[in-house]
Amino acid sequence: MSNQAASTPAALKHTPLNATHRELSAKMVDFGGWDMPVNYGSQIEEHHAVRTGCGLFDVSHMLPLDIRGANVRPFLRRLVANNVDKLQVSGKALYSCMLNEAGGVIDDLIIYFMDESWFRLVVNAGTAEKDLAWMEKMNAEWGMGLTLTPRRDLAMIAIQGPAATPALNNALPGVDSITAHLKPFNAAAMGEMFIARTGYTGEDGYEVMVLAKSAPFFWKALMEAGGKPIGLGARDTLRLEAGMNLYGQDMDETASPLESGLAWTVDMKTARDFVGRAALEKSEITKQLVGLLLLDKGVLRGHQKVLTKHGEGEITSGTFSPTMQQSIALARIPLGIAPGEEVEVEIRDKKLKAKVVKYPFVRNGKILIS
């Protein structure tokens, strides 16, 4: 979900697992101002490890944010485009966009309902300060009287893949009493530990928050239980195969969620007003987000021009798929182009053929595109 931005090495932020990554000889890069592992050796092997076994990701650069008070639900009803009234069972999660008045996406985030006076949000690393400032502004303007607490005292580790559950159970004896009953897109709190059955890979798995000081021990226990460290390189190819948007590429403040494949996260059926709704209702939708499968030889990348019978579009995210052994992409193109139709992608001075497909490309280890 996270955006990247350049910064000076001296200004890089470190997660609680930074020393652990260096002990494992990870290749470290500047990722949105954070010193993060891009791989630990072979990015391709790391990708396959998640699809076939269990991969471990340090996602502590993302920000858990606790919102507490009597008016949390009314606040979130107005703040985000999806409807938090869908959250009625403790631990249930909801994916949503937070919009500006023009209907652009400030950020995409996950909201966990714990009780009527406590909701936990997880926001992207590159937008965390902007998000917090926006929420505090709305909190004050609307007179909600809420307390917003950034939880930088927590680390977050994603455990992803078909073997994620046994790895987590072995690393934390007794946690099987929770994992056995935890459904996808639900979470459970155990003191300061927070276990969510969510992820960004298209595989089963968990995102677990622990106190920062405990993170290195937990990481090592997960490795001993069979988890393989995975860098941001494989995280990107995995999420793209799974057809999951990346903030800053597939949507941002200049893009409507209705043109970014996120209409399913925007609740327009109820009369509930929310920031950006009026703009969305007035907007003319002319583009759609689609999947592309390259038919010629080459590699699809972001910002490449897409030529269609109804005009030009642009690739938002592109990569070579290790699972499919083909180049794939998400692209924002004009309406009226259906799955199965061919388009052309401009790569340098060549026009290469690509087929429009319905994403996701891969889920739960299975290729969904023929």
Side-chain angles (χ1 to χ4, degrees):
M1 297 190 317
S2 189
N3 194 19
Q4 298 185 41
S7 63
T8 59
L12 292 183
K13 300 170 187 172
H14 290 182
T15 75
L17 288 163
N18 189 271
T20 302
H21 301 315
R22 293 184 176 278
E23 287 171 14
L24 294 168
S25 301
K27 180 183 178 184
M28 307 296 286
V29 297
D30 175 355
F31 186 80
W34 289 81
D35 190 37
M36 298 296 289
V38 68
N39 61 60
Y40 300 81
S42 167
Q43 180 177 320
I44 299 292
E45 288 178 10
E46 290 174 23
H47 180 105
H48 292 313
V50 177
R51 289 275 180 252
T52 60
C54 175
L56 310 177
F57 301 81
D58 179 11
V59 288
S60 305
H61 57 312
M62 297 176 70
L63 179 64
L65 177 65
D66 285 340
I67 306 183
R68 293 181 183 268
N71 295 316
V72 191
R73 191 182 288 273
F75 175 69
L76 292 173
R77 274 197 197 109
R78 294 176 68 177
L79 185 77
V80 299
N82 212 337
N83 192 350
V84 294
D85 287 343
K86 297 173 184 176
L87 301 176
Q88 296 296 329
V89 178
S90 180
K92 185 68 180 152
L94 182 73
Y95 175 71
S96 184
C97 292
M98 182 168 65
L99 308 180
N100 58 26
E101 294 289 0
V105 182
I106 294 174
D107 197 12
D108 64 323
L109 44 84
I110 293 181
I111 302 166
Y112 297 96
F113 164 59
M114 303 315 292
D115 60 49
E116 286 301 331
S117 61
W118 173 31
F119 284 67
R120 174 168 288 180
L121 280 58
V122 177
V123 304
N124 281 310
T127 55
E129 297 307 317
K130 177 183 73 172
D131 290 0
L132 185 56
W134 177 259
M135 291 181 204
E136 288 285 20
K137 179 173 179 276
M138 296 299 105
N139 182 30
E141 282 187 11
W142 299 337
M144 292 292 184
L146 300 171
T147 302
L148 279 64
T149 308
R151 296 300 306 271
R152 283 292 179 207
D153 58 322
L154 298 177
M156 185 156 62
I157 296 172
I159 307 149
Q160 300 283 295
T165 298
L168 178 55
N169 289 347
N170 288 333
L172 282 177
V175 80
D176 57 333
S177 62
I178 291 176
T179 58
H181 305 289
L182 198 62
K183 295 177 181 177
F185 245 67
N186 282 266
M190 300 170 52
E192 290 292 4
M193 179 174 281
F194 189 89
I195 302 173
R197 198 156 197 168
T198 52
Y200 195 50
T201 63
E203 298 295 330
D204 188 21
Y206 305 85
E207 290 173 310
V208 181
M209 300 176 207
V210 297
L211 287 172
K213 63 184 179 182
S214 304
F217 305 100
F218 182 38
W219 182 274
K220 285 168 183 172
L222 288 164
M223 284 184 63
E224 289 170 4
K228 306 292 184 187
I230 311 294
L232 293 172
R235 181 171 165 84
D236 193 54
T237 54
L238 288 159
R239 72 92 194 166
L240 185 46
E241 286 186 349
M244 294 178 171
N245 290 46
L246 176 66
Y247 188 83
Q249 287 184 209
D250 306 305
M251 76 290 204
D252 56 29
E253 289 200 47
T254 69
S256 163
L258 304 181
E259 294 188 334
S260 303
L262 295 170
W264 63 277
T265 72
V266 180
D267 168 47
M268 306 280 265
K269 293 178 182 176
T270 61
R272 175 186 63 99
D273 191 22
F274 59 84
V275 178
R277 176 167 185 155
L280 292 183
E281 288 177 337
K282 293 175 187 173
S283 66
E284 182 185 359
I285 307 305
T286 62
K287 298 283 181 68
Q288 60 180 329
L289 197 72
V290 301
L292 292 183
L293 191 63
L294 189 63
L295 301 177
D296 292 330
K297 285 190 176 180
V299 179
L300 299 178
R301 297 283 184 225
H303 304 298
Q304 290 169 341
K305 191 183 292 184
V306 182
L307 307 174
T308 83
K309 64 185 181 184
H310 293 312
E312 292 182 359
E314 184 181 62
I315 288 178
T316 55
S317 291
T319 194
F320 183 79
S321 161
T323 304
M324 300 173 67
Q325 290 292 296
Q326 278 183 279
S327 205
I328 62 172
L330 296 178
R332 190 174 285 111
I333 65 172
L335 291 176
I337 310 297
E341 292 189 43
E342 287 188 13
V343 296
E344 290 182 320
V345 180
E346 281 192 359
I347 301 179
R348 297 189 181 90
D349 57 346
K350 295 181 179 177
K351 293 178 181 176
L352 304 184
K353 289 183 180 179
K355 183 170 72 170
V356 174
V357 297
K358 187 177 180 182
Y359 60 88
F361 302 90
V362 181
R363 280 284 172 96
N364 296 313
K366 294 179 181 177
I367 296 172
L368 306 177
I369 306 293
S370 56

